[in-house]
Amino acid sequence: MGVPQNILHSKMLFLVGLGLADETDITLKGLNVVKAASKVYLEAYTSVLLVNQDKLESYYGRSIILADREMVESSSDEILAAAVTDDVAFLVVGDPFGATTHTDLLLRARELKIPTKTIHNASVMSAVGATGLQLYNFGQTVSMVFFTDTWKPSSFYDRIKENRQVGLHTLMLLDIKVKEQSIENLARGRKIFEPPRYMTAAQCAAQMLEIERDRGEGAYGPDSLAVGVARLGADQQRMAAGTLKQISEFDLGPPLHSLVLLGKRVHDLERDYIREYAIDETGFDKNWEEQYGLARLLNIDGTKTSLAGLRMSVFLVHGFRWARNEIRVHVVLQEVDDAAPNNLMCGDSEEAMNENFRELYPGPMANLPPLRFIEPLNPNTEKFKYPSEPYAYVADVVVQSEDIIDVTEVMNKGIRAAQWDAMADLRDIIAKGEKIGWFVVHNGDRHLAQQERLRKDEKGVSGMEDEANAVEEAEAIESKYSKGLSEQVARLQVVLVAAQESFTAAKGNDGNPSILLPTDAPARPPSVPLAVRSPYTSAWSSTSSNGTLNTNGVSFWPGTPLGWEGIVTVDGISYEYLGTGSTALPRTPYLQPAESLGVTYDSQYSNFTFGAGPVVITASFLSSVLPDDLCRTSIPLSYLTTSIRSTDNSTHNVQFYSDVNAAWAASENNVTVQWDLYEGSNNISGSGAVTGRSSSIYSWFVYLQEPYVFAEGLDVALWGNFTYSSSPMSAQNFSFQSGFSSDLRYQHVMQHSLQNLVDADFRPRAAQEPVFAYAHDFGRVSSASVRYTIGSVQDPIVRYLTRQGVVPLQPWWRRCYGDIHQMIDFHFNDFEPTQLLASQFESQLNANVDAYYSANMAMTNSNSTPSIPTVYVNGTQGRNGTEQYGEDYIFDPDNSYGFLDSRDFSGIAIPDVQEAGAYYSIVALSARQVMGAYTLAIPPSSNEGSDANNKNATEPLMFQKEISSNGNTNTVDVMYPAMPFFLYANPNLLRYNLEPLYQNQEGGFYPNDYSMHDLGSHYPNATGHVEGNDEYMPVEESGNMILMSYAYYTSVKQFAAAQFYFGLDALTSHSFTNDTAYLQSHYPILRKFASYLNLYSLTPGYQLSTDDFAGRLANQTNLAIKGIVGIAAMSQIALVCNDPDGAAQYSATASLYYKQWENFAIDPSGTHTLLAYQWRSSYSLLYNVYPALLLNLSVIPSSLYQMQSSFYPSVSQIYGVPLDSRHSYTKSDESMWTAATCEPETRRLFVNGLGHWLNSTTTDGPFSDLFETTGEGQYGGRPEVVEFRARPVAGGHFSLLALDKARRLRGEGR
């Protein structure tokens, strides 16, 4: 049937993508098209679904015409003719543009002026991302056809070779034969078709290897890694990762199959993801390192860096980084005429800088060789224009190579102690805070490379004879290698910097030991989080007296000791790295403490590194902070991974031992505890058997013989199970035992194994201290690791008041995983996915901090040129100097004033601290502390509350313990200061936390006309206060409830803009909605709270504020402004709730109250607000104006923020600004709220002060939010010291990021 050539009117040809698997993959839009079309064709030869035509017709409710190759390619007129008068749907498996045939069909329709429309869907091109390989690392896609005896096309080989040359993955689409004729039947014209055939990944791999053998060009080989994929997108999806040889012998089951050949441009996250599908994990790891990982740059022993053939300048340097902006300042101010700040590596610049340094810094330079100034340059980013990177390296040792760098040989030579000290002194003068160490630096400047070759020629080293040839060669290499090499060297640098820790005792040429001091990064907090996942899983290690894991041990957040022991035995010598149990053992030369080398932390991990003879031990504690993942967040368990690696390139006999004691489960010494050992869900106590399976998970359960549900003793849960789990993994021998601590530890030190016994003598924790141990024996290895999971598990988790009475609530993880054994199993085996998610949060946090400070740098009003930061040592002689922004300062370490502006003696920020780094050190330490105070629970079966959308039927209730202070449940004025973290990380968590409070008060359980103070006097009892006798803070809590509710609403109202802040992936992970129904459902009770504020916020009388530890005070200025800001927020809530009259009234009231408040609250001098109305000589932090900025409420004029920002420096101390004029202590959360309201210079004063306190305080517990701003920064409080520890108010430290996000959401920019 022909198509009319003059088409005046036509309908539409729809190309509809069906997705990959079955009938349900079609999009809703596509399904609507199918149901409405007059004719429906199914293209069935470029790909097929995994269901038959009958299922499609049944699901779509339409008959389908099968369009085979002949119809589409030879007789498409029939399809096009039908589209002239009717809508026609042409169904395509995957996406319509996945095959050129469909493009041809559209072109023909365009020629005939037939309108077309495409309905897209998932295709193999996009879904291949399910392998974990990143889509932007894929090159050309190729097809593999069935070979015959006489036809073996190899055009695919050239495309693969091109992909591999630039490091890209190759997706192989595999042949399918549907409705194909044999040669004989085709020749005879018989319509007889062969049975369908579908190529497997195994057959594809075999054919690829056959062509490689024929052509021999090395595009790939039998050991090249690939991923075979079967039934992509279906419930039966399966993958296998391995070499092409392994894939060629592996059966992935029924069709359809695809195959991906890995390119060399790979990321470690890709490796971690596909490793789960490895056919042979050990072989996979070895192959990866040899072909795709660092082994491409290192030889097998991991110490020689091979760069042969790349011909780019690569330097192994010992030194420190120097910021380029500071280099420029130095060159200008010191008039170093021959130095080029953007090209320090040229000979004239280096010589001039060395001469200048010798004049300025004769002390350090007397013990240093001529320095080199090595500059990283990425040719891919700046096209050889300096500066490519914002810093250079000041180096006293430089090794350059274009072929081999023997890292071991270089680093084993060591650095003389005097030379190391001199470099440290120089570093402290010009680049305070930078780390001294070994670095790999890549410089892709082809001209520099030639210059260095000429240097070598002068010394008799063979080089290029013709500079033109050198440049020509470099240009060719630039285009081929620039990006890949820079990425590879960056990864290599990380490894080498970490590796330097093993050289702490290397001998220098003069026989003196080299010095690489232990490092703490990004700060030295008073206590380091280890396992922090809930109010009962909260283990920390104090850094008091410069101690660490194996000197100060492990403690519960209040400071009470917990038994957690870790020993690694190497060649018969045992090294204790965790705990202090060795002090109770008989002295023996076979047991000694491991040597601490450093501690690092971020928002997810705390990593401790130790030297232990010929190995380095790393104890990595992971308590993931994943605010978007409710299921993983609800798990009260944490990870410890202990690993060793050899530092002498030899194998060693290695065993691991770890135990825990009963202090985790029992708060008192005389209470009997019991214990069991489980393999999976099977209780094997008394069996004395180990299965030997590497995948088995063993779990110690420790619990009270007589539990008290929903009770605490010294903040320890008196019900539930404490669990400690491990697995044999790759150990040659795995054993367990419970018993007397000294017996088990000494036995392992002497025998290196346990006896697979479970002690049946249940007893109190102090009677022959029972411990619960695991041992792993790896035999002779150069590296090994073991994993443990630990935590206190309660089920039920909260006691909750409902109209049906008080009911127990189950933990949210029950809904996600089942019983406790299933939860433990999931968590233990979820380590790699959790690592990936944790790294994503951490990367985002870093990016947000960097982005914030790139747009909000603290600048001074001075027109002077910034100078080099001046060094100071707190506690030594006083110094005057010029800080990094050009302001002269006065500093006397013998007083507590801190750094003072020399002109007016107002405080300035600590001059040699980078604010962005200080802020990161604060929020990174705070993240685990915040989330460690919360639990998620399944709502009761009959919900109490007025949530209009019934969200709590499928969402958790969130409960907070007021850790360290009153121990209340869901304390409103503790939730409120933590709010910035949730607004930054996931606002839904704030709603889950507010919901129990709303359910209680809206359910009629609270008799007062203002907001309740908390949901229960002691966690985990959320039973409210039916008598209304909770702590009396009505203005405080009513304002808090209004502001938190409106903050939640505003954070989700403009959710689409979140992509500007978090990016698209994070945007889709949040369940954002324009949640007007939320405010509308709670509007009646919010009006009640607002009515109270109308009456009492302007003159709150003797009410307490959240700072109740400071005592009562009449008409507190800061409390009154909270109420006024709350009324202003209520005007906006009224608008959302369609109450314009109420909105006008609230707005007018807020404006009127603010005018009156100004008269009462501002000192007559007009310089600052007062602590309380008309109390001259008083002041306080006015942190309650922060929500007005956060929520874009116009009630507070900018002049007030500016006035306060100018005032705070006049009353600052070394560790910040006191909370108010009555005391010298301050609050960290309220300081950071205040900092967010200030100009950048004053904000920096707050941030750097808190960062300095974090490094210097003598407090010994988890991050305290109440401390002295003077002296040693000890715990604050008067007349009695109040030791606030581990409180969730640390969420307030995220105030800068929350405000930045809110402004971005509003489109204001930073």
Side-chain angles (χ1 to χ4, degrees):
M1 176 180 178
V3 178
Q5 296 303 303
N6 292 316
I7 300 175
L8 299 178
H9 303 286
S10 63
K11 300 291 278 186
M12 184 78 74
L13 173 64
F14 292 91
L15 267 67
V16 181
L18 298 182
L20 293 171
D22 57 35
E23 70 277 13
T24 64
D25 282 353
I26 191 171
T27 66
L28 182 59
K29 183 184 292 186
L31 183 59
N32 290 336
V33 167
V34 170
K35 289 183 178 293
S38 297
K39 288 189 177 182
V40 181
Y41 294 89
L42 172 64
E43 186 267 277
Y45 67 92
T46 60
S47 187
V48 294
L49 286 178
L50 303 180
V51 295
N52 57 34
Q53 183 177 342
D54 292 340
K55 268 201 168 184
L56 294 181
E57 290 180 333
S58 174
Y59 187 78
Y60 300 156
R62 297 297 312 279
S63 61
I64 295 175
I65 303 168
L66 204 62
D68 57 16
R69 182 187 296 273
E70 181 180 0
M71 172 180 282
V72 177
E73 296 184 354
S74 303
S75 305
S76 58
D77 285 356
E78 176 183 334
I79 300 170
L80 296 174
V84 173
T85 56
D86 296 293
D87 286 335
V88 172
F90 185 77
L91 310 185
V92 178
V93 177
D95 186 85
F97 287 107
T100 55
T101 299
H102 312 136
T103 304
D104 180 69
L105 182 64
L106 287 175
L107 287 173
R108 296 193 61 199
R110 184 182 299 174
E111 291 174 1
L112 297 169
K113 296 183 172 55
I114 297 173
T116 63
K117 188 170 184 179
T118 303
I119 312 298
H120 295 283
N121 208 321
S123 74
V124 66
M125 305 285 195
S126 58
V128 72
T131 59
L133 300 174
Q134 299 170 2
L135 294 179
Y136 56 77
N137 278 343
F138 278 78
Q140 303 168 83
T141 299
V142 301
S143 298
M144 176 66 78
V145 300
F146 283 107
F147 285 0
T148 67
D149 292 339
T150 58
W151 186 58
K152 298 179 180 180
S154 62
S155 58
F156 71 88
Y157 184 88
D158 298 309
R159 304 290 82 76
I160 292 176
K161 187 176 179 182
E162 291 170 3
N163 287 346
R164 299 269 287 177
Q165 284 174 342
V166 292
L168 298 177
H169 310 315
T170 303
L171 171 62
M172 310 281 293
L173 302 180
L174 310 189
D175 200 3
I176 65 173
K177 297 294 187 185
V178 180
K179 212 174 181 181
E180 297 283 336
Q181 293 175 274
S182 66
I183 299 297
E184 179 183 355
N185 289 329
L186 188 63
R188 295 176 180 273
R190 296 185 297 206
K191 293 283 187 178
I192 300 174
F193 301 103
E194 298 294 302
R197 289 191 296 155
Y198 307 96
M199 182 177 287
T200 65
Q203 189 168 2
C204 173
Q207 291 186 177
M208 291 173 66
L209 293 174
E210 183 179 352
I211 295 300
E212 176 58 51
R213 287 193 295 271
D214 291 344
R215 296 190 48 165
E217 298 174 26
Y220 51 81
D223 291 331
S224 297
L225 287 180
V227 182
V229 185
R231 301 168 296 285
L232 187 62
D235 293 338
Q236 302 81 28
Q237 174 179 298
R238 189 180 180 193
M239 301 183 192
T243 65
L244 281 176
K245 180 69 165 60
Q246 290 172 325
I247 297 290
S248 71
E249 299 169 349
F250 193 81
D251 182 10
L252 278 167
L256 297 170
H257 291 194
S258 304
L259 186 139
V260 180
L261 181 66
L262 269 64
K264 295 297 179 72
R265 186 185 299 174
V266 288
H267 193 281
D268 288 345
L269 294 180
E270 294 178 293
R271 175 202 62 198
D272 294 345
Y273 199 97
I274 65 175
R275 188 178 184 275
E276 180 181 349
Y277 311 116
I279 297 171
D280 170 20
E281 289 187 358
T282 302
F284 176 90
D285 291 342
K286 181 175 183 295
N287 194 289
W288 182 281
E289 285 305 310
E290 290 177 352
Q291 295 198 54
Y292 301 86
L294 293 172
R296 283 199 302 123
L297 299 180
L298 299 176
N299 68 356
I300 292 175
D301 68 8
T303 61
K304 293 183 179 179
T305 308
S306 177
L307 301 161
L310 298 184
R311 308 295 289 176
M312 293 292 185
S313 297
V314 177
F315 302 85
L316 175 63
V317 307
H318 178 266
F320 56 86
R321 297 195 310 186
W322 192 16
R324 195 175 292 277
N325 61 340
E326 296 175 4
I327 297 173
R328 293 193 187 97
V329 171
H330 182 96
V331 170
V332 172
L333 293 183
Q334 300 301 326
E335 298 181 352
V336 191
D337 294 333
D338 293 330
N342 290 338
N343 192 1
L344 287 177
M345 291 180 69
C346 72
D348 289 344
S349 290
E350 284 191 341
E351 184 176 345
M353 291 297 288
N354 272 284
E355 182 178 349
N356 174 256
F357 274 24
R358 284 190 288 271
E359 293 176 0
L360 291 177
Y361 318 120
M365 292 297 292
N367 289 299
L368 290 173
L371 299 176
R372 297 285 304 275
F373 299 84
I374 307 300
E375 297 173 297
L377 184 136
N378 182 349
N380 195 56
T381 58
E382 295 282 343
K383 300 305 292 181
F384 300 106
K385 292 181 181 179
Y386 282 98
S388 179
E389 301 290 347
Y391 49 79
Y393 289 86
V394 180
D396 58 342
V397 177
V398 177
V399 178
Q400 181 191 2
S401 178
E402 293 159 358
D403 185 13
I404 296 292
I405 296 176
D406 192 328
V407 176
T408 300
E409 180 181 348
V410 173
M411 295 176 69
N412 265 330
K413 291 178 180 178
I415 308 294
R416 291 181 302 107
Q419 182 173 326
W420 198 99
D421 287 341
M423 280 298 283
D425 290 342
L426 181 63
R427 182 270 317 271
D428 289 344
I429 296 171
I430 66 174
K432 180 74 171 179
E434 292 291 345
K435 179 179 179 180
I436 294 180
W438 293 94
F439 300 88
V440 170
V441 185
H442 168 220
N443 190 302
D445 186 345
R446 55 180 176 269
H447 302 293
L448 173 67
Q450 172 62 10
Q451 193 177 65
E452 292 295 329
R453 293 190 189 101
L454 294 177
R455 283 188 185 181
K456 290 183 180 180
D457 289 343
E458 293 172 1
K459 297 177 181 179
V461 181
S462 62
M464 303 288 291
E465 296 180 358
D466 190 295
E467 181 174 354
N469 290 341
V471 173
E472 180 181 351
E473 179 199 22
E475 288 174 342
I477 294 171
E478 171 201 343
S479 63
K480 186 173 182 180
Y481 292 107
S482 60
K483 184 173 183 181
L485 182 60
S486 61
E487 292 174 350
Q488 296 151 10
V489 172
R491 289 195 350 228
L492 178 60
Q493 178 171 319
V494 172
V495 171
L496 291 181
V497 170
Q500 69 178 325
E501 295 165 346
S502 65
F503 290 86
T504 55
K507 298 290 184 180
N509 293 329
D510 60 357
N512 294 324
S514 298
I515 302 175
L516 278 174
L517 297 178
T519 57
D520 297 281
R524 187 218 66 95
S527 194
V528 181
L530 304 180
V532 182
R533 294 286 292 168
S534 77
Y536 304 131
T537 302
S538 187
W540 302 71
S541 180
S542 172
T543 61
S544 175
S545 302
N546 292 317
T548 188
L549 277 181
N550 60 355
T551 58
N552 291 357
V554 181
S555 60
F556 193 31
W557 65 257
T560 50
L562 296 172
W564 196 357
E565 186 73 14
I567 297 171
V568 172
T569 302
V570 183
D571 297 334
I573 305 298
S574 293
Y575 299 89
E576 183 182 46
Y577 69 90
L578 171 60
T580 58
S582 63
T583 58
L585 302 184
R587 298 195 62 174
T588 169
Y590 301 110
L591 174 62
Q592 57 187 268
E595 178 188 3
S596 176
L597 301 179
V599 184
T600 64
Y601 71 84
D602 59 23
S603 64
Q604 314 285 327
Y605 291 91
S606 296
N607 300 310
F608 297 77
T609 309
F610 298 88
V615 307
V616 167
I617 303 171
T618 300
S620 180
F621 298 84
L622 170 60
S623 296
S624 58
V625 176
L626 307 175
D628 284 327
D629 193 321
L630 298 181
C631 286
R632 287 184 171 94
T633 293
S634 69
I635 298 174
L637 304 179
S638 186
Y639 297 101
L640 164 61
T641 303
T642 302
S643 59
I644 65 97
R645 57 178 173 79
S646 169
T647 61
D648 61 2
N649 306 316
S650 300
T651 60
H652 298 276
N653 198 9
V654 176
Q655 295 83 34
F656 293 78
Y657 170 91
S658 184
D659 71 46
V660 291
N661 71 3
W664 295 77
S667 60
E668 299 179 5
N669 289 334
N670 58 352
V671 176
T672 301
V673 293
Q674 292 188 199
W675 48 85
D676 294 299
L677 180 66
Y678 286 85
E679 180 185 359
S681 59
N682 298 318
N683 191 327
I684 61 171
S685 302
S687 68
V690 174
T691 65
R693 289 184 296 162
S694 62
S695 61
S696 295
I697 298 172
Y698 293 82
S699 300
W700 288 108
F701 279 34
V702 184
Y703 50 94
L704 295 182
Q705 193 174 70
E706 297 181 1
Y708 300 89
V709 180
F710 304 126
E712 293 182 342
L714 300 178
D715 291 293
V716 176
L718 300 184
W719 84 107
N721 295 282
F722 165 70
T723 72
Y724 194 45
S725 302
S726 192
S727 173
M729 300 176 74
S730 58
Q732 291 182 3
N733 183 60
F734 171 79
S735 54
F736 59 80
Q737 192 171 347
S738 62
F740 179 36
S741 57
S742 295
D743 289 349
L744 266 60
R745 293 163 186 167
Y746 194 73
Q747 171 187 317
H748 188 269
V749 168
M750 304 308 292
Q751 300 177 11
H752 315 317
S753 65
L754 298 173
Q755 298 177 4
N756 296 333
L757 298 176
V758 179
D759 184 358
D761 180 20
F762 301 138
R763 57 190 182 273
R765 72 180 208 187
Q768 291 273 302
E769 180 190 27
V771 297
F772 315 96
Y774 298 111
H776 296 74
D777 186 346
F778 284 86
R780 296 199 66 83
V781 291
S782 60
S783 64
S785 67
V786 295
R787 183 188 313 153
Y788 310 95
T789 63
I790 192 168
S792 182
V793 183
Q794 283 68 46
D795 184 8
I797 196 168
V798 169
R799 189 166 174 252
Y800 191 60
L801 177 63
T802 73
R803 286 179 181 167
Q804 283 68 45
V806 176
V807 298
L809 300 185
Q810 290 184 316
W812 185 254
W813 55 258
R814 287 292 299 266
R815 173 165 290 183
C816 303
Y817 310 114
D819 64 22
I820 186 172
H821 302 288
Q822 292 169 308
M823 182 267 287
I824 291 172
D825 180 83
F826 172 85
H827 179 258
F828 193 93
N829 291 311
D830 189 51
F831 180 63
E832 286 79 12
T834 294
Q835 281 187 305
L836 176 61
L837 294 169
S839 70
Q840 291 171 351
F841 181 94
E842 170 63 18
S843 297
Q844 193 65 59
L845 178 63
N846 268 287
N848 292 150
V849 172
D850 289 346
Y852 175 81
Y853 277 99
S854 68
N856 291 279
M857 292 299 294
M859 301 301 293
T860 67
N861 295 322
S862 171
N863 293 321
S864 61
T865 304
S867 65
I868 302 167
T870 304
V871 178
Y872 81 96
V873 180
N874 198 8
T876 61
Q877 74 276 13
R879 292 177 183 263
N880 298 340
T882 304
E883 54 99 61
Q884 57 191 305
Y885 296 113
E887 299 294 346
D888 293 334
Y889 67 77
I890 299 169
F891 174 69
D892 183 352
D894 292 329
N895 63 44
S896 295
Y897 297 142
F899 293 83
L900 304 179
D901 191 310
S902 62
R903 296 167 301 181
D904 59 9
F905 299 97
S906 63
I908 66 169
I910 296 172
D912 56 356
V913 175
Q914 296 297 322
E915 185 188 357
Y919 186 62
Y920 171 77
S921 72
I922 294 164
V923 293
L925 186 64
S926 302
R928 283 171 284 179
Q929 179 165 317
V930 177
M931 293 302 292
Y934 293 86
T935 54
L936 297 173
I938 300 173
S941 56
S942 176
N943 293 301
E944 307 298 324
S946 55
D947 193 325
N949 296 319
N950 197 28
K951 290 177 180 172
N952 55 6
T954 56
E955 295 178 340
L957 298 178
M958 188 167 171
F959 297 93
Q960 177 206 73
K961 177 176 179 178
E962 185 185 341
I963 287 180
S964 180
S965 38
N966 288 346
N968 299 157
T969 303
N970 282 26
T971 307
V972 178
D973 62 290
V974 177
M975 292 164 51
Y976 179 69
M979 173 178 65
F981 173 80
F982 298 114
L983 296 181
Y984 166 76
N986 181 1
N988 285 323
L989 296 177
L990 182 60
R991 173 162 56 85
Y992 305 150
N993 200 195
L994 287 167
E995 181 60 23
L997 290 159
Y998 275 126
Q999 289 187 10
N1000 184 281
Q1001 294 176 95
E1002 291 168 344
F1005 297 117
Y1006 189 67
N1008 298 321
D1009 291 333
Y1010 47 80
S1011 170
M1012 64 196 319
H1013 170 267
D1014 59 77
L1015 195 58
S1017 296
H1018 207 92
Y1019 182 90
N1021 294 283
T1023 52
H1025 299 276
V1026 294
E1027 297 179 354
N1029 57 354
D1030 52 325
E1031 190 170 5
Y1032 184 68
M1033 294 185 185
V1035 169
E1036 175 76 40
E1037 312 303 18
S1038 297
N1040 291 342
M1041 288 295 291
I1042 292 171
L1043 290 167
M1044 283 191 286
S1045 299
Y1046 185 57
Y1048 161 71
Y1049 168 77
T1050 60
S1051 69
V1052 298
K1053 176 175 178 289
Q1054 297 170 341
F1055 69 94
Q1059 59 185 312
F1060 294 118
Y1061 194 79
F1062 282 108
L1064 186 60
D1065 291 341
L1067 168 64
T1068 56
S1069 68
H1070 289 301
S1071 299
F1072 287 125
T1073 58
N1074 192 354
D1075 208 346
T1076 58
Y1078 177 77
L1079 290 182
Q1080 290 168 350
S1081 67
H1082 299 307
Y1083 190 52
I1085 196 167
L1086 289 171
R1087 288 184 62 191
K1088 184 165 72 170
F1089 298 159
S1091 295
Y1092 187 89
L1093 294 182
N1094 281 337
L1095 292 173
Y1096 296 103
S1097 62
L1098 182 59
T1099 53
Y1102 278 90
Q1103 291 189 22
L1104 284 171
S1105 73
T1106 185
D1107 302 320
D1108 52 355
F1109 51 84
R1112 295 182 183 274
L1113 186 65
N1115 296 324
Q1116 295 181 60
T1117 295
N1118 193 45
L1119 178 60
I1121 200 65
K1122 171 176 286 186
I1124 295 169
V1125 174
I1127 295 171
M1130 196 64 196
S1131 70
Q1132 299 301 310
I1133 294 173
L1135 287 176
V1136 174
C1137 297
N1138 301 314
D1139 181 10
D1141 293 339
Q1145 180 184 3
Y1146 291 128
S1147 179
T1149 300
S1151 297
L1152 175 63
Y1153 281 6
Y1154 177 76
K1155 291 295 184 184
Q1156 295 176 294
W1157 177 89
E1158 276 191 333
N1159 293 327
F1160 296 140
I1162 297 178
D1163 186 89
S1165 66
T1167 58
H1168 65 282
T1169 57
L1170 306 170
L1171 170 60
Y1173 287 171
Q1174 299 181 356
W1175 183 5
R1176 294 292 309 268
S1177 78
S1178 71
Y1179 68 86
S1180 71
L1181 297 181
L1182 198 67
Y1183 55 83
N1184 275 327
V1185 295
Y1186 169 72
L1189 278 182
L1190 181 72
L1191 306 178
N1192 200 28
L1193 303 172
S1194 59
V1195 67
I1196 307 295
S1198 59
S1199 58
L1200 182 76
Y1201 297 114
Q1202 292 165 359
M1203 178 185 72
Q1204 290 297 110
S1205 181
S1206 298
F1207 170 73
Y1208 293 131
S1210 69
V1211 291
S1212 65
Q1213 305 287 165
I1214 185 65
Y1215 297 127
V1217 180
L1219 177 62
D1220 62 50
S1221 50
R1222 292 174 293 179
H1223 309 287
S1224 57
Y1225 57 64
T1226 196
K1227 291 280 274 86
S1228 65
D1229 54 321
E1230 291 162 1
S1231 291
M1232 298 309 294
W1233 279 47
T1234 307
T1237 70
C1238 293
E1239 295 298 314
E1241 296 78 24
T1242 305
R1243 179 203 66 208
R1244 182 167 168 256
L1245 176 69
F1246 279 100
V1247 173
N1248 284 10
L1250 182 54
H1252 182 44
W1253 174 86
L1254 201 60
N1255 279 285
S1256 307
T1257 176
T1258 57
T1259 62
D1260 59 357
F1263 205 145
S1264 176
D1265 56 290
L1266 179 65
F1267 58 85
E1268 293 290 336
T1269 59
T1270 60
E1272 297 179 329
Q1274 62 269 34
Y1275 292 110
R1278 294 288 187 275
E1280 295 181 359
V1281 172
V1282 178
E1283 293 191 6
F1284 281 175
R1285 302 165 174 254
R1287 296 196 338 139
V1289 298
H1293 300 156
F1294 286 79
S1295 57
L1296 303 183
L1297 295 181
L1299 179 59
D1300 185 46
K1301 177 185 174 185
R1303 285 172 166 165
R1304 297 285 288 176
L1305 291 177
R1306 296 194 292 262
E1308 298 176 11
R1310 292 189 163 93

